[in-house]
Amino acid sequence: MTEAGSERAYGRRTFLAVTGAGLSSLLWAKPVWHAVSGAARPLERALPAGIVPSSGWRIYTVAASMPRFDPTMWRLRIEGLVDSPLALTYDELRRLPRAEQVSGFHCVTGWSVKDVRWAGVRFRDLLAAARPQPNAKVLTFVSAERPYVDTLSLSQAELRDAMLAYEMDGEPLRREHGAPARVVIPEMYGYKNVKWVERIVVGDHVEPGYWEQRGYDVDAWVGRSNGL
Amino acid sequence: MASETVYVRRFSRTERALHWIHASAFLVLLGSGLVLYVPRLSTLVSRRPLVKDVHVYTAVAWIAALALVVAIGDRRGLRRTLRELDLFDDDDRLWLCRVPRPQGRFNAGQKLNAALTAAFAVLFSVSGFLLWYGERDTRFRFASTILLHDGLMYVALVLLFGHLYLAVIHPTTRHALRGMTLGSVRRDWAYEHHRKWIEAAEAEPHR
């Protein structure tokens, strides 16, 4: 410290500048990321899948273990306010009219995945054989991952691009994405897109789902719910 | 000289305690955070609620332990250290431009690292709190919080690798690790790397 007069408080300035920039990014990070991530896509593709979340997916679960799909034992039960309750095998599910779509996926915590290719069954086709009764208003999706559950109104489930999906990006749904079948409803946040669906209960009123019991909105429209 | 090595004390107990609390908490938070974040690890471990608890409670313990050490430790010494870390003189500015200049107890790179580490600690804490609290009260949910938390992790990882390289591998600097573990370093090493500190300390031994 030979020239005390020339000392400058760069340490605290660096601290304040970085802290300030970081806090302000709460306001601009997402739109800026959207703008630049398109440009960064070729780079992301070069990275091995699943090592870094280059695909944008994060795997959220609520139970101590992730359900495992056994094709011989698995049944999809459709029950409640229906004339003929069903228990579909995996093959029977796959033989129902097939629908395909490309749609985005949005998580309420802020991450999104663009252009996911889904294949599955529209709910109208899925429910046809069970014959819902006239007073049926909602579908409750019970996950094999206890105690995860969520509901959609029939009108939500009949949106043009809502489905029970069994394929993602050209291959059977992977375990971490809800194998063998999950709800896909791109207009709503991920927590309405129940994974590992094993039972669909047709009912006449909405029961709050897993996250809804914890304060989340029942109608989880992307961009118009949950304070976003 | 060869037979009698002279050591000088570089880091106090309080400083070392703060460093190691921060370092160990960071590693636990990094490990548990990666399990929550990387799809392949999330699937492999799959006990998300438990890992989430580990992550959140470690963060709370980290802040509490830092506060405790500051409360019961050598606060006067810490204030002096903060001042040392804050102030950059002409030698520091030249050193950052790769001009070899004598340095104090902290070289200019270490000062910058300390400022960044402190800023990151604040930003990690704030964004982490918002992630946790936003799950409970949607008024505190912002679409960018998770991007900030994850982005910090990537930058912090780069800083950590640089820090570990200099502290453990790089031959001329790795002796510094002794200062952070046992508290003291060889006087001849310190004279070479932190000459202004040694000269000032020897001119005024009861500093």
Side-chain angles (χ1 to χ4, degrees), chain A residues 1 3 6-8 10-12 15 19 22 25-26 30 49-51 53 57-64 109 176 216 226, chain B residues 37-40 43 46-49 86-88 90 93 115-116 118-119 123 135 138 141 143-148 150 196:
Chain A
M1 319 264 171
E3 299 157 79
S6 69
E7 286 184 337
R8 300 244 171 84
Y10 285 172
R12 103 180 54 175
F15 169 78
T19 307
S25 80
L26 289 171
K30 177 121 189 190
I51 299 297
W57 287 105
R58 288 145 208 252
I59 306 304
Y60 288 176
T61 54
V62 301
T109 62
E176 67 270 27
Y216 287 37
N226 293 290
Chain B
Y37 176 55
V38 180
R40 200 162 282 184
T43 309
S46 95
R47 305 197 59 173
R48 189 176 184 87
D86 184 24
L87 298 177
F88 285 61
D90 286 340
R93 289 193 282 276
L116 287 177
L123 292 173
E135 221 169 71
T138 53
R141 186 196 291 288
S144 298
T145 312
I146 201 162
L147 278 173
L148 173 60
D150 298 346
K196 287 199 289 190

CSV table of all heavy atoms in Angstrom, one decimal, chain A residues 1 3 6-8 10-12 15 19 22 25-26 30 49-51 53 57-64 109 176 216 226, chain B residues 37-40 43 46-49 86-88 90 93 115-116 118-119 123 135 138 141 143-148 150 196:
chain,number,residue,atom,x,y,z
A,1,MET,N,0.9,-1.2,0.0
A,1,MET,CA,0.0,0.0,0.0
A,1,MET,C,0.9,1.2,0.0
A,1,MET,O,0.9,2.0,0.9
A,1,MET,CB,-0.9,0.0,1.2
A,1,MET,CG,-1.5,-1.3,1.6
A,1,MET,SD,-3.1,-1.5,0.9
A,1,MET,CE,-3.4,-3.2,1.3
A,3,GLU,N,0.9,3.8,-2.2
A,3,GLU,CA,0.2,5.0,-2.6
A,3,GLU,C,-1.2,4.9,-2.1
A,3,GLU,O,-2.1,4.6,-2.9
A,3,GLU,CB,0.2,5.2,-4.1
A,3,GLU,CG,1.7,5.3,-4.7
A,3,GLU,CD,1.7,4.9,-6.1
A,3,GLU,OE1,1.4,5.7,-7.0
A,3,GLU,OE2,2.1,3.7,-6.4
A,6,SER,N,-4.3,6.4,-4.0
A,6,SER,CA,-4.9,5.8,-5.2
A,6,SER,C,-5.7,4.6,-5.0
A,6,SER,O,-6.1,3.9,-6.0
A,6,SER,CB,-3.7,5.5,-6.2
A,6,SER,OG,-3.0,4.3,-5.6
A,7,GLU,N,-6.0,4.3,-3.8
A,7,GLU,CA,-6.8,3.1,-3.5
A,7,GLU,C,-8.3,3.3,-3.9
A,7,GLU,O,-8.8,4.4,-3.6
A,7,GLU,CB,-6.8,2.7,-2.0
A,7,GLU,CG,-5.4,2.0,-1.7
A,7,GLU,CD,-5.4,1.6,-0.2
A,7,GLU,OE1,-6.2,2.1,0.6
A,7,GLU,OE2,-4.6,0.7,0.0
A,8,ARG,N,-8.9,2.4,-4.5
A,8,ARG,CA,-10.3,2.5,-4.9
A,8,ARG,C,-11.1,1.3,-4.4
A,8,ARG,O,-10.6,0.2,-4.4
A,8,ARG,CB,-10.4,2.5,-6.5
A,8,ARG,CG,-9.6,3.7,-7.1
A,8,ARG,CD,-10.6,4.6,-7.8
A,8,ARG,NE,-9.8,5.8,-8.2
A,8,ARG,CZ,-9.1,5.9,-9.4
A,8,ARG,NH1,-9.1,4.9,-10.2
A,8,ARG,NH2,-8.5,7.0,-9.7
A,10,TYR,N,-12.9,-1.0,-5.4
A,10,TYR,CA,-13.5,-1.8,-6.5
A,10,TYR,C,-14.2,-3.1,-6.0
A,10,TYR,O,-15.0,-3.6,-6.6
A,10,TYR,CB,-12.3,-2.3,-7.4
A,10,TYR,CG,-11.8,-1.2,-8.3
A,10,TYR,CD1,-10.7,-1.4,-9.1
A,10,TYR,CD2,-12.5,0.0,-8.4
A,10,TYR,CE1,-10.2,-0.4,-10.0
A,10,TYR,CE2,-12.0,1.0,-9.3
A,10,TYR,CZ,-10.8,0.8,-10.0
A,10,TYR,OH,-10.4,1.8,-10.9
A,11,GLY,N,-13.7,-3.5,-4.8
A,11,GLY,CA,-14.3,-4.8,-4.3
A,11,GLY,C,-15.8,-4.6,-4.0
A,11,GLY,O,-16.6,-5.4,-4.5
A,12,ARG,N,-16.2,-3.5,-3.3
A,12,ARG,CA,-17.6,-3.3,-3.1
A,12,ARG,C,-18.4,-2.9,-4.3
A,12,ARG,O,-19.5,-3.3,-4.5
A,12,ARG,CB,-17.8,-2.3,-1.9
A,12,ARG,CG,-18.2,-0.9,-2.3
A,12,ARG,CD,-18.3,-0.1,-1.0
A,12,ARG,NE,-17.0,-0.1,-0.2
A,12,ARG,CZ,-16.8,0.7,0.8
A,12,ARG,NH1,-17.8,1.5,1.3
A,12,ARG,NH2,-15.7,0.6,1.5
A,15,PHE,N,-19.1,-6.1,-6.1
A,15,PHE,CA,-20.2,-6.8,-5.3
A,15,PHE,C,-21.5,-6.2,-5.7
A,15,PHE,O,-22.5,-6.9,-6.0
A,15,PHE,CB,-19.9,-6.8,-3.8
A,15,PHE,CG,-21.0,-7.2,-3.0
A,15,PHE,CD1,-21.3,-8.6,-2.8
A,15,PHE,CD2,-21.9,-6.3,-2.4
A,15,PHE,CE1,-22.4,-9.0,-2.0
A,15,PHE,CE2,-22.9,-6.7,-1.6
A,15,PHE,CZ,-23.2,-8.0,-1.4
A,19,THR,N,-24.5,-8.0,-7.8
A,19,THR,CA,-25.7,-8.2,-7.1
A,19,THR,C,-26.9,-7.5,-7.8
A,19,THR,O,-27.9,-8.1,-8.0
A,19,THR,CB,-25.6,-7.8,-5.6
A,19,THR,OG1,-24.4,-8.4,-5.1
A,19,THR,CG2,-26.8,-8.2,-4.8
A,22,GLY,N,-27.8,-9.1,-11.0
A,22,GLY,CA,-28.5,-10.4,-10.8
A,22,GLY,C,-29.9,-10.2,-10.4
A,22,GLY,O,-30.8,-10.8,-10.9
A,25,SER,N,-32.1,-9.1,-13.1
A,25,SER,CA,-32.4,-10.1,-14.1
A,25,SER,C,-33.7,-10.9,-13.8
A,25,SER,O,-34.2,-11.6,-14.6
A,25,SER,CB,-31.2,-11.1,-14.2
A,25,SER,OG,-31.3,-12.1,-13.1
A,26,LEU,N,-34.2,-10.8,-12.5
A,26,LEU,CA,-35.5,-11.4,-12.2
A,26,LEU,C,-36.6,-10.8,-13.1
A,26,LEU,O,-37.6,-11.4,-13.4
A,26,LEU,CB,-35.9,-11.1,-10.8
A,26,LEU,CG,-35.1,-11.9,-9.7
A,26,LEU,CD1,-35.4,-11.5,-8.3
A,26,LEU,CD2,-35.3,-13.4,-9.9
A,30,LYS,N,-36.0,-14.1,-18.4
A,30,LYS,CA,-36.7,-15.0,-19.3
A,30,LYS,C,-36.9,-14.5,-20.7
A,30,LYS,O,-36.6,-15.2,-21.6
A,30,LYS,CB,-38.1,-15.3,-18.6
A,30,LYS,CG,-39.0,-16.2,-19.5
A,30,LYS,CD,-39.4,-17.5,-18.8
A,30,LYS,CE,-40.1,-18.4,-19.8
A,30,LYS,NZ,-40.7,-19.5,-19.2
A,49,ALA,N,-27.6,-35.8,-24.9
A,49,ALA,CA,-28.9,-35.7,-24.3
A,49,ALA,C,-28.9,-36.2,-22.8
A,49,ALA,O,-28.3,-37.2,-22.5
A,49,ALA,CB,-30.0,-36.4,-25.1
A,50,GLY,N,-29.6,-35.4,-22.0
A,50,GLY,CA,-29.8,-35.9,-20.6
A,50,GLY,C,-28.6,-35.6,-19.7
A,50,GLY,O,-28.7,-35.7,-18.5
A,51,ILE,N,-27.5,-35.2,-20.2
A,51,ILE,CA,-26.3,-34.9,-19.4
A,51,ILE,C,-26.6,-33.5,-18.8
A,51,ILE,O,-26.7,-33.3,-17.6
A,51,ILE,CB,-25.0,-34.9,-20.2
A,51,ILE,CG1,-24.7,-36.3,-20.7
A,51,ILE,CG2,-23.8,-34.4,-19.3
A,51,ILE,CD1,-24.5,-37.3,-19.7
A,53,PRO,N,-29.5,-30.4,-19.0
A,53,PRO,CA,-30.9,-30.3,-19.4
A,53,PRO,C,-31.0,-29.5,-20.7
A,53,PRO,O,-31.7,-28.6,-20.8
A,53,PRO,CB,-31.6,-29.7,-18.2
A,53,PRO,CG,-30.6,-29.5,-17.2
A,53,PRO,CD,-29.2,-29.6,-17.8
A,57,TRP,N,-36.0,-30.0,-20.4
A,57,TRP,CA,-36.9,-30.7,-19.4
A,57,TRP,C,-36.2,-30.8,-18.0
A,57,TRP,O,-35.0,-30.8,-17.9
A,57,TRP,CB,-37.1,-32.2,-19.9
A,57,TRP,CG,-38.0,-32.4,-21.0
A,57,TRP,CD1,-37.6,-32.7,-22.3
A,57,TRP,CD2,-39.4,-32.3,-21.0
A,57,TRP,NE1,-38.8,-32.7,-23.1
A,57,TRP,CE2,-39.9,-32.5,-22.3
A,57,TRP,CE3,-40.4,-32.0,-20.0
A,57,TRP,CZ2,-41.2,-32.4,-22.7
A,57,TRP,CZ3,-41.7,-31.9,-20.4
A,57,TRP,CH2,-42.1,-32.2,-21.7
A,58,ARG,N,-37.0,-30.7,-17.0
A,58,ARG,CA,-36.6,-31.1,-15.7
A,58,ARG,C,-37.6,-32.1,-15.2
A,58,ARG,O,-38.8,-32.0,-15.5
A,58,ARG,CB,-36.7,-29.8,-14.7
A,58,ARG,CG,-35.6,-28.8,-15.0
A,58,ARG,CD,-36.1,-27.5,-14.8
A,58,ARG,NE,-35.4,-26.5,-15.7
A,58,ARG,CZ,-34.5,-25.7,-15.3
A,58,ARG,NH1,-34.3,-25.6,-14.0
A,58,ARG,NH2,-33.9,-24.9,-16.1
A,59,ILE,N,-37.1,-33.0,-14.4
A,59,ILE,CA,-38.0,-34.1,-13.9
A,59,ILE,C,-38.5,-33.8,-12.5
A,59,ILE,O,-37.7,-33.9,-11.6
A,59,ILE,CB,-37.2,-35.4,-14.0
A,59,ILE,CG1,-36.6,-35.6,-15.4
A,59,ILE,CG2,-38.1,-36.6,-13.6
A,59,ILE,CD1,-37.6,-35.5,-16.6
A,60,TYR,N,-39.7,-33.5,-12.4
A,60,TYR,CA,-40.3,-33.2,-11.1
A,60,TYR,C,-41.2,-34.3,-10.6
A,60,TYR,O,-42.0,-34.8,-11.3
A,60,TYR,CB,-41.2,-31.9,-11.2
A,60,TYR,CG,-40.4,-30.6,-11.3
A,60,TYR,CD1,-41.1,-29.4,-11.5
A,60,TYR,CD2,-39.0,-30.6,-11.3
A,60,TYR,CE1,-40.4,-28.2,-11.6
A,60,TYR,CE2,-38.3,-29.4,-11.5
A,60,TYR,CZ,-39.0,-28.2,-11.6
A,60,TYR,OH,-38.3,-27.1,-11.8
A,61,THR,N,-40.9,-34.8,-9.4
A,61,THR,CA,-41.7,-35.8,-8.8
A,61,THR,C,-42.1,-35.5,-7.4
A,61,THR,O,-41.4,-34.6,-6.8
A,61,THR,CB,-40.9,-37.2,-8.8
A,61,THR,OG1,-39.7,-36.9,-8.2
A,61,THR,CG2,-40.7,-37.7,-10.2
A,62,VAL,N,-43.1,-36.1,-6.8
A,62,VAL,CA,-43.5,-35.8,-5.4
A,62,VAL,C,-43.3,-36.9,-4.5
A,62,VAL,O,-43.4,-36.8,-3.3
A,62,VAL,CB,-44.9,-35.3,-5.4
A,62,VAL,CG1,-45.1,-34.0,-6.3
A,62,VAL,CG2,-45.9,-36.3,-5.8
A,63,ALA,N,-43.1,-38.1,-5.0
A,63,ALA,CA,-43.0,-39.3,-4.1
A,63,ALA,C,-41.6,-39.8,-4.0
A,63,ALA,O,-40.7,-39.3,-4.6
A,63,ALA,CB,-43.9,-40.4,-4.7
A,64,ALA,N,-41.4,-40.7,-3.1
A,64,ALA,CA,-40.1,-41.2,-2.8
A,64,ALA,C,-39.5,-42.0,-3.9
A,64,ALA,O,-38.3,-42.2,-4.0
A,64,ALA,CB,-40.1,-42.0,-1.5
A,109,THR,N,-42.9,-23.2,-12.9
A,109,THR,CA,-41.7,-22.6,-12.2
A,109,THR,C,-40.8,-21.8,-13.2
A,109,THR,O,-39.8,-21.3,-12.8
A,109,THR,CB,-40.8,-23.7,-11.6
A,109,THR,OG1,-40.4,-24.6,-12.7
A,109,THR,CG2,-41.5,-24.5,-10.6
A,176,GLU,N,-39.3,-41.3,-16.9
A,176,GLU,CA,-39.3,-40.1,-16.2
A,176,GLU,C,-40.3,-39.1,-16.7
A,176,GLU,O,-40.6,-38.1,-16.1
A,176,GLU,CB,-37.9,-39.4,-16.2
A,176,GLU,CG,-37.4,-39.0,-17.5
A,176,GLU,CD,-36.6,-40.0,-18.3
A,176,GLU,OE1,-36.9,-41.2,-18.1
A,176,GLU,OE2,-35.7,-39.7,-19.1
A,216,TYR,N,-52.1,-23.8,-5.6
A,216,TYR,CA,-52.0,-23.4,-7.0
A,216,TYR,C,-53.4,-23.3,-7.6
A,216,TYR,O,-54.3,-23.9,-7.1
A,216,TYR,CB,-51.2,-24.5,-7.8
A,216,TYR,CG,-49.7,-24.5,-7.6
A,216,TYR,CD1,-49.2,-24.2,-6.3
A,216,TYR,CD2,-48.8,-24.9,-8.6
A,216,TYR,CE1,-47.8,-24.3,-6.1
A,216,TYR,CE2,-47.5,-24.9,-8.4
A,216,TYR,CZ,-47.0,-24.6,-7.1
A,216,TYR,OH,-45.6,-24.7,-6.9
A,226,ASN,N,-51.7,-18.4,-11.6
A,226,ASN,CA,-50.6,-18.6,-10.6
A,226,ASN,C,-49.7,-17.4,-10.5
A,226,ASN,O,-48.5,-17.6,-10.3
A,226,ASN,CB,-49.8,-19.9,-11.0
A,226,ASN,CG,-50.6,-21.1,-10.9
A,226,ASN,OD1,-50.9,-21.6,-9.7
A,226,ASN,ND2,-51.0,-21.8,-12.0
B,37,TYR,N,-31.9,-30.9,-10.8
B,37,TYR,CA,-31.9,-30.2,-12.1
B,37,TYR,C,-31.6,-31.1,-13.3
B,37,TYR,O,-32.3,-30.9,-14.4
B,37,TYR,CB,-30.8,-29.1,-12.0
B,37,TYR,CG,-30.6,-28.3,-13.2
B,37,TYR,CD1,-31.6,-27.6,-13.8
B,37,TYR,CD2,-29.3,-28.1,-13.7
B,37,TYR,CE1,-31.3,-26.8,-15.0
B,37,TYR,CE2,-29.0,-27.3,-14.8
B,37,TYR,CZ,-30.0,-26.7,-15.4
B,37,TYR,OH,-29.8,-25.9,-16.5
B,38,VAL,N,-30.6,-32.0,-13.2
B,38,VAL,CA,-30.2,-32.8,-14.4
B,38,VAL,C,-31.2,-34.0,-14.6
B,38,VAL,O,-31.3,-34.8,-13.7
B,38,VAL,CB,-28.8,-33.2,-14.3
B,38,VAL,CG1,-28.4,-34.0,-15.5
B,38,VAL,CG2,-27.9,-32.0,-14.1
B,39,PRO,N,-31.9,-34.1,-15.7
B,39,PRO,CA,-32.9,-35.1,-15.9
B,39,PRO,C,-32.4,-36.5,-15.5
B,39,PRO,O,-33.0,-37.3,-14.8
B,39,PRO,CB,-33.3,-35.0,-17.3
B,39,PRO,CG,-33.0,-33.6,-17.7
B,39,PRO,CD,-31.8,-33.2,-16.9
B,40,ARG,N,-31.2,-36.8,-16.0
B,40,ARG,CA,-30.6,-38.2,-15.8
B,40,ARG,C,-30.4,-38.5,-14.3
B,40,ARG,O,-30.7,-39.6,-13.8
B,40,ARG,CB,-29.4,-38.4,-16.6
B,40,ARG,CG,-29.0,-39.8,-16.9
B,40,ARG,CD,-28.0,-40.0,-18.0
B,40,ARG,NE,-28.7,-39.8,-19.3
B,40,ARG,CZ,-28.0,-40.0,-20.5
B,40,ARG,NH1,-26.8,-40.4,-20.5
B,40,ARG,NH2,-28.7,-39.9,-21.6
B,43,THR,N,-33.7,-38.9,-12.4
B,43,THR,CA,-34.3,-40.2,-12.7
B,43,THR,C,-33.6,-41.2,-11.9
B,43,THR,O,-34.2,-42.1,-11.2
B,43,THR,CB,-34.3,-40.5,-14.2
B,43,THR,OG1,-34.8,-39.4,-14.9
B,43,THR,CG2,-35.0,-41.8,-14.5
B,46,SER,N,-34.3,-40.1,-8.0
B,46,SER,CA,-35.8,-40.2,-8.0
B,46,SER,C,-36.4,-39.8,-6.6
B,46,SER,O,-37.6,-39.6,-6.6
B,46,SER,CB,-36.3,-41.5,-8.5
B,46,SER,OG,-36.6,-42.4,-7.5
B,47,ARG,N,-35.7,-39.7,-5.6
B,47,ARG,CA,-36.3,-39.3,-4.3
B,47,ARG,C,-36.3,-37.7,-4.2
B,47,ARG,O,-35.7,-37.2,-3.3
B,47,ARG,CB,-35.6,-39.9,-3.1
B,47,ARG,CG,-35.4,-41.4,-3.2
B,47,ARG,CD,-35.1,-42.0,-1.9
B,47,ARG,NE,-36.1,-41.7,-0.9
B,47,ARG,CZ,-36.1,-42.2,0.3
B,47,ARG,NH1,-35.1,-43.1,0.6
B,47,ARG,NH2,-37.0,-41.9,1.1
B,48,ARG,N,-37.1,-37.1,-5.1
B,48,ARG,CA,-37.0,-35.7,-5.2
B,48,ARG,C,-37.4,-34.9,-3.9
B,48,ARG,O,-36.7,-34.0,-3.5
B,48,ARG,CB,-37.9,-35.2,-6.3
B,48,ARG,CG,-37.8,-33.7,-6.6
B,48,ARG,CD,-38.6,-33.3,-7.8
B,48,ARG,NE,-38.3,-31.9,-8.0
B,48,ARG,CZ,-37.3,-31.5,-8.8
B,48,ARG,NH1,-36.5,-32.3,-9.4
B,48,ARG,NH2,-37.1,-30.2,-8.9
B,49,PRO,N,-38.5,-35.4,-3.2
B,49,PRO,CA,-38.8,-34.6,-1.9
B,49,PRO,C,-37.7,-34.6,-0.9
B,49,PRO,O,-37.4,-33.6,-0.3
B,49,PRO,CB,-40.0,-35.4,-1.4
B,49,PRO,CG,-40.6,-36.1,-2.6
B,49,PRO,CD,-39.5,-36.4,-3.5
B,86,ASP,N,-11.7,-5.0,-0.2
B,86,ASP,CA,-12.5,-3.9,-0.9
B,86,ASP,C,-11.5,-3.0,-1.8
B,86,ASP,O,-11.8,-2.7,-2.9
B,86,ASP,CB,-13.2,-3.1,0.1
B,86,ASP,CG,-14.1,-2.0,-0.5
B,86,ASP,OD1,-14.5,-2.2,-1.7
B,86,ASP,OD2,-14.4,-1.0,0.1
B,87,LEU,N,-10.4,-2.7,-1.2
B,87,LEU,CA,-9.5,-1.7,-1.8
B,87,LEU,C,-8.5,-2.2,-2.8
B,87,LEU,O,-7.8,-3.1,-2.5
B,87,LEU,CB,-8.8,-0.9,-0.7
B,87,LEU,CG,-9.7,-0.2,0.3
B,87,LEU,CD1,-8.9,0.5,1.4
B,87,LEU,CD2,-10.6,0.8,-0.4
B,88,PHE,N,-8.5,-1.6,-3.9
B,88,PHE,CA,-7.6,-2.0,-5.0
B,88,PHE,C,-6.6,-0.8,-5.2
B,88,PHE,O,-7.1,0.4,-5.4
B,88,PHE,CB,-8.3,-2.2,-6.3
B,88,PHE,CG,-9.0,-3.6,-6.4
B,88,PHE,CD1,-10.0,-3.8,-5.5
B,88,PHE,CD2,-8.7,-4.5,-7.3
B,88,PHE,CE1,-10.7,-5.0,-5.5
B,88,PHE,CE2,-9.4,-5.7,-7.4
B,88,PHE,CZ,-10.4,-6.0,-6.5
B,90,ASP,N,-2.9,0.9,-7.1
B,90,ASP,CA,-2.3,0.9,-8.5
B,90,ASP,C,-1.7,-0.5,-8.8
B,90,ASP,O,-1.8,-0.9,-10.0
B,90,ASP,CB,-1.3,2.0,-8.6
B,90,ASP,CG,-2.0,3.4,-8.7
B,90,ASP,OD1,-3.2,3.4,-9.0
B,90,ASP,OD2,-1.3,4.4,-8.4
B,93,ARG,N,-4.4,-2.9,-9.8
B,93,ARG,CA,-4.9,-2.6,-11.2
B,93,ARG,C,-3.9,-3.1,-12.2
B,93,ARG,O,-4.3,-3.7,-13.2
B,93,ARG,CB,-5.2,-1.1,-11.3
B,93,ARG,CG,-6.5,-0.7,-10.5
B,93,ARG,CD,-7.0,0.6,-10.9
B,93,ARG,NE,-6.2,1.7,-10.3
B,93,ARG,CZ,-6.3,2.2,-9.1
B,93,ARG,NH1,-7.2,1.7,-8.3
B,93,ARG,NH2,-5.6,3.2,-8.7
B,115,ALA,N,-15.3,-10.7,-4.0
B,115,ALA,CA,-16.5,-9.9,-4.3
B,115,ALA,C,-17.6,-10.7,-5.1
B,115,ALA,O,-18.8,-10.6,-4.8
B,115,ALA,CB,-16.1,-8.7,-5.1
B,116,LEU,N,-17.1,-11.5,-6.1
B,116,LEU,CA,-18.0,-12.3,-6.8
B,116,LEU,C,-18.7,-13.3,-6.0
B,116,LEU,O,-19.9,-13.6,-6.0
B,116,LEU,CB,-17.3,-12.9,-8.0
B,116,LEU,CG,-16.9,-12.0,-9.2
B,116,LEU,CD1,-16.1,-12.8,-10.2
B,116,LEU,CD2,-18.1,-11.4,-9.8
B,118,ALA,N,-19.2,-13.3,-2.8
B,118,ALA,CA,-20.2,-12.7,-1.9
B,118,ALA,C,-21.5,-12.3,-2.6
B,118,ALA,O,-22.6,-12.5,-2.2
B,118,ALA,CB,-19.6,-11.4,-1.2
B,119,ALA,N,-21.3,-11.7,-3.9
B,119,ALA,CA,-22.5,-11.4,-4.7
B,119,ALA,C,-23.3,-12.6,-5.0
B,119,ALA,O,-24.5,-12.6,-4.9
B,119,ALA,CB,-22.1,-10.6,-5.9
B,123,LEU,N,-27.2,-13.6,-4.3
B,123,LEU,CA,-28.1,-13.9,-5.4
B,123,LEU,C,-28.7,-15.3,-5.3
B,123,LEU,O,-29.9,-15.6,-5.6
B,123,LEU,CB,-27.4,-13.7,-6.8
B,123,LEU,CG,-27.1,-12.3,-7.1
B,123,LEU,CD1,-26.2,-12.2,-8.3
B,123,LEU,CD2,-28.3,-11.4,-7.2
B,135,GLU,N,-43.5,-21.2,-4.3
B,135,GLU,CA,-44.3,-22.4,-4.3
B,135,GLU,C,-45.5,-22.3,-3.3
B,135,GLU,O,-46.5,-23.0,-3.4
B,135,GLU,CB,-43.4,-23.6,-3.9
B,135,GLU,CG,-43.7,-24.9,-4.7
B,135,GLU,CD,-42.6,-25.9,-4.5
B,135,GLU,OE1,-42.6,-26.5,-3.4
B,135,GLU,OE2,-41.8,-26.1,-5.4
B,138,THR,N,-48.0,-17.4,-4.7
B,138,THR,CA,-47.8,-17.2,-6.1
B,138,THR,C,-47.4,-15.7,-6.4
B,138,THR,O,-46.9,-15.4,-7.5
B,138,THR,CB,-48.9,-17.6,-7.0
B,138,THR,OG1,-50.1,-17.0,-6.5
B,138,THR,CG2,-49.1,-19.1,-6.9
B,141,ARG,N,-43.8,-15.6,-7.3
B,141,ARG,CA,-43.3,-16.4,-8.3
B,141,ARG,C,-43.0,-15.6,-9.5
B,141,ARG,O,-43.9,-14.8,-10.0
B,141,ARG,CB,-44.4,-17.4,-8.7
B,141,ARG,CG,-44.1,-18.5,-9.7
B,141,ARG,CD,-45.3,-19.1,-10.2
B,141,ARG,NE,-46.0,-20.0,-9.2
B,141,ARG,CZ,-45.5,-21.1,-8.8
B,141,ARG,NH1,-44.3,-21.5,-9.2
B,141,ARG,NH2,-46.2,-21.8,-7.9
B,143,ALA,N,-41.2,-15.7,-13.5
B,143,ALA,CA,-40.7,-16.6,-14.5
B,143,ALA,C,-39.2,-16.7,-14.6
B,143,ALA,O,-38.7,-17.7,-15.1
B,143,ALA,CB,-41.4,-16.2,-15.8
B,144,SER,N,-38.5,-15.7,-14.2
B,144,SER,CA,-37.0,-15.6,-14.4
B,144,SER,C,-36.2,-16.2,-13.2
B,144,SER,O,-35.0,-16.3,-13.3
B,144,SER,CB,-36.6,-14.2,-14.7
B,144,SER,OG,-37.2,-13.7,-15.9
B,145,THR,N,-36.9,-16.5,-12.1
B,145,THR,CA,-36.2,-16.9,-10.9
B,145,THR,C,-35.3,-18.1,-11.1
B,145,THR,O,-34.1,-18.2,-10.8
B,145,THR,CB,-37.1,-17.2,-9.7
B,145,THR,OG1,-38.1,-16.1,-9.6
B,145,THR,CG2,-36.4,-17.3,-8.4
B,146,ILE,N,-35.9,-19.1,-11.8
B,146,ILE,CA,-35.2,-20.3,-12.0
B,146,ILE,C,-34.0,-20.2,-12.9
B,146,ILE,O,-33.0,-20.8,-12.8
B,146,ILE,CB,-36.2,-21.5,-12.4
B,146,ILE,CG1,-35.6,-22.8,-12.1
B,146,ILE,CG2,-36.6,-21.3,-13.9
B,146,ILE,CD1,-36.6,-23.9,-12.1
B,147,LEU,N,-34.2,-19.3,-13.9
B,147,LEU,CA,-33.1,-19.0,-14.9
B,147,LEU,C,-31.9,-18.4,-14.1
B,147,LEU,O,-30.7,-18.7,-14.4
B,147,LEU,CB,-33.5,-18.1,-16.0
B,147,LEU,CG,-34.3,-18.7,-17.1
B,147,LEU,CD1,-34.8,-17.6,-18.1
B,147,LEU,CD2,-33.4,-19.6,-17.9
B,148,LEU,N,-32.2,-17.5,-13.2
B,148,LEU,CA,-31.1,-16.8,-12.4
B,148,LEU,C,-30.4,-17.8,-11.6
B,148,LEU,O,-29.2,-17.9,-11.6
B,148,LEU,CB,-31.7,-15.7,-11.6
B,148,LEU,CG,-30.8,-15.0,-10.6
B,148,LEU,CD1,-29.6,-14.4,-11.3
B,148,LEU,CD2,-31.5,-14.0,-9.7
B,150,ASP,N,-30.2,-21.1,-11.9
B,150,ASP,CA,-29.4,-22.1,-12.7
B,150,ASP,C,-28.2,-21.4,-13.3
B,150,ASP,O,-27.1,-21.9,-13.4
B,150,ASP,CB,-30.3,-22.7,-13.8
B,150,ASP,CG,-31.5,-23.5,-13.2
B,150,ASP,OD1,-31.4,-23.7,-12.0
B,150,ASP,OD2,-32.4,-23.8,-14.0
B,196,LYS,N,3.9,-7.2,-0.4
B,196,LYS,CA,3.5,-6.0,0.4
B,196,LYS,C,3.0,-6.4,1.8
B,196,LYS,O,3.1,-5.6,2.7
B,196,LYS,CB,2.5,-5.2,-0.4
B,196,LYS,CG,3.2,-4.5,-1.6
B,196,LYS,CD,2.4,-3.3,-2.1
B,196,LYS,CE,1.2,-3.8,-2.8
B,196,LYS,NZ,0.5,-2.7,-3.5
